[in-house]
Structures are given as structure tokens and as C-alpha cells.
Amino acid sequence: MNEAPLLEVRGLHAQYGATQVLHGIDFKVERGGVTTLLGANGAGKTTTLRAVCGMLARTRGEITLDGCRIEALPTESIVRLGVAHVPDGRGTFAELSVDENLRLGAYTRRDKAQVAQDYERVFGYFPRLKERRRQQAGTLSGGEQQMLAVSRALMLRPRLLLLDEPSFGLAPLIVQELFEILASINRTEGMAMLLVEQNAALALRLAQQACLLETGRVVMTGTATQVAGDEAVRRAYLGS
Ligand code: ATP
């Protein structure tokens, strides 16, 4: 069995124009594991996700997926290797129906029979979307749109799901429902996730590993239990 992590990031630097945002960060996502990136606004969490999926022009360092270096690949190749990104702000196509959004999620796949099964599988996780499959995505509620964004990413049958602030702007009950579904997908399918989340308490319950970023540097890394138990983390991020 291959024991190497699914994703390994080493010495990642990123900049926008002349501004350096990531200063050499290291972290891993284990096979079937969930790693969460925590940190204050502007710490570089979204930038890290963008770098992993090849969306940034100016990066330095190594990003390895399942033993293959991917940092120089274009986004489309990274998607084909099984990395799906649920960006902040959701990124569904507002003018298209739920159904069309889901089918677009599978655009890189040729295994049509399996795609049809996955279409039913995501409705199993998100039955509310099934009822609304002909509805325009832009007219869904915020929670439904987030569920659609996750579902669209699942249609890729990814090995690694990148989630950027999935709880953002959602009512607490919807957030709880969404995180229970994510936990179930991780548990039952062994799908690995890299989760960026402002709600640290929630993120540390879903994740097994955590990494705390401050102004583009990793200042703490460990199991979710270790990080949740740290006094400074408790005060700054867990409100206790
Ligand atoms: P938040 O929780 O507020 O989303 P974050 O940890 O995800 O924060 P990033 O969005 O990665 O932080 O931003 C890190 C830094 O990079 C910030 O100072 C931000 O202003 C800057 N930045 C982000 N995107 C760009 C861009 N396109 N051009 C210039 N600077 C940017």
C-alpha cells in the first residue's frame, strides 16, 4: 500500500504582483483524510487553495498529488487528476439549471454509466436538489447553492475536494446539515478534503489534521485534537 500522503505541499510561496502572500508553507492531506487550514482574514487560506488547483500565476515550491508534481500544471490537468475545487462565493452557473450545473461538473469524464450513477448519488446526499433539478441555480437559496456547488464538485468523483468557506453566509442549521453530509462523504467514500473555514470549531470537528496560518506562514500544525486543545487557538478561534 502506498503510504505517501495524497497531497503534499512543501515550501509554497505565492505572490500577487509584487506582494508576497505565502512565505513557504508546508502541509499534507492524508489519503482519505481531512486537513483544515485555519487563520484570520488575509492569512492566505484562499490563496493556498488557488495555488493547489493551479489558478495562480506566480508560485514557488512543490505540490505533489499522489506522488506526481503538479505545481506547474494548468488547472484543467489538475482537475483531470481528480482535484475538485468549491471556491468561495460558490461559483455555480446562475443562469443554468441545477441539472445543467451537475452535468457540467462531470465534463472531464468519459465513463458515462458511472456519471449517471453519480448523478443519483449526489441526489442521495442532497435530496432537496433533486426536487429542484429544473430550477435555475441563481434562484436557489444560499444553502441550496452551496449544496449545488459541493454536488457539482462531487460529479467529478474527485480524489481530493478543496472547500473554501462552505459555511459562509448560511444559517446555523444548514451549516450543520452540510457538515454532516461532508463528514459522511469522507467516512463512507474515503474522499480526502482540504477545508478552509472561518468556523474553526466546525472545521476541527470534521478534520483529522489542522494547520494554522498567520500572514502567509504556518504557525501551528498537528492533529485537529491537538490544535483544538491549544490555549492560544482556543482563545483566538474557538471563543473560549
Ligand atoms: P479570508 O478568510 O478573508 O478569505 P484568506 O486567509 O483566505 O482570508 P487570502 O484571500 O488568501 O486570505 O488573501 C491573502 C492576502 O492576499 C490578503 O492580504 C489579500 O488582500 C491578498 N490578495 C488576495 N487575492 C488577491 C489578488 N487577486 N490580488 C492582490 N492581492 C490579493
Side-chain angles (χ1 to χ4, degrees):
M1 203 173 101
N2 188 345
E3 293 300 334
L6 178 63
L7 180 79
E8 188 158 15
V9 170
R10 263 176 288 168
L12 180 64
H13 291 71
Q15 63 192 86
Y16 296 107
T19 313
Q20 190 79 29
V21 173
L22 299 180
H23 304 268
I25 66 168
D26 301 313
F27 66 91
K28 296 173 187 172
V29 180
E30 299 297 342
R31 284 161 203 283
V34 181
T35 294
T36 185
L37 300 179
L38 304 175
N41 291 125
K45 307 179 298 295
T46 294
T47 300
T48 305
L49 292 194
R50 289 193 185 137
V52 169
C53 59
M55 291 167 70
L56 295 184
R58 306 194 63 188
T59 61
R60 210 150 40 82
E62 289 181 13
I63 307 177
T64 308
L65 181 76
D66 208 5
C68 296
R69 296 278 293 271
I70 61 166
E71 70 274 359
L73 297 181
T75 300
E76 192 177 334
S77 308
I78 296 172
V79 169
R80 284 182 197 281
L81 289 172
V83 178
H85 183 210
V86 182
D88 52 347
R90 292 166 198 148
T92 51
F93 295 100
E95 304 297 315
L96 301 184
S97 67
V98 165
D99 197 48
E100 289 164 334
N101 268 279
L102 290 178
R103 293 190 190 283
L104 270 179
Y107 81 102
T108 56
R109 294 176 59 183
R110 297 284 163 266
D111 50 338
K112 295 299 169 206
Q114 187 69 48
V115 168
Q117 271 181 28
D118 284 342
Y119 182 73
E120 291 306 321
R121 162 176 151 267
V122 300
F123 286 144
Y125 287 123
F126 299 104
R128 215 168 327 155
L129 292 181
K130 185 167 191 174
E131 293 162 23
R132 298 174 181 278
R133 61 183 186 276
R134 312 252 169 264
Q135 190 171 327
Q136 253 192 348
T139 65
L140 296 172
S141 73
E144 289 161 355
Q145 287 189 34
Q146 188 58 279
M147 289 176 186
L148 178 59
V150 172
S151 299
R152 199 182 59 168
L154 291 178
M155 287 300 292
L156 194 68
R157 198 165 259 282
R159 289 192 281 173
L160 176 64
L161 187 59
L162 309 179
L163 294 156
D164 198 346
E165 301 274 3
S167 79
F168 186 77
L170 305 185
L173 273 180
I174 303 290
V175 170
Q176 201 179 325
E177 185 186 337
L178 178 63
F179 271 70
E180 277 165 15
I181 295 168
L182 291 174
S184 149
I185 294 169
N186 171 247
R187 219 175 25 245
T188 58
E189 302 190 18
M191 189 180 292
M193 301 178 187
L194 177 57
L195 168 68
V196 163
E197 182 50 65
Q198 283 287 329
N199 186 332
L202 204 61
L204 288 167
R205 275 203 296 276
L206 176 60
Q208 297 94 31
Q209 298 290 321
C211 186
L212 180 62
L213 292 184
E214 269 175 24
T215 55
R217 292 186 172 81
V218 174
V219 294
M220 188 184 305
T221 185
T223 66
T225 314
Q226 284 166 342
V227 171
D230 180 84
E231 192 49 40
V233 169
R234 294 172 73 83
R235 253 183 283 117
Y237 298 99
L238 298 173
S240 61

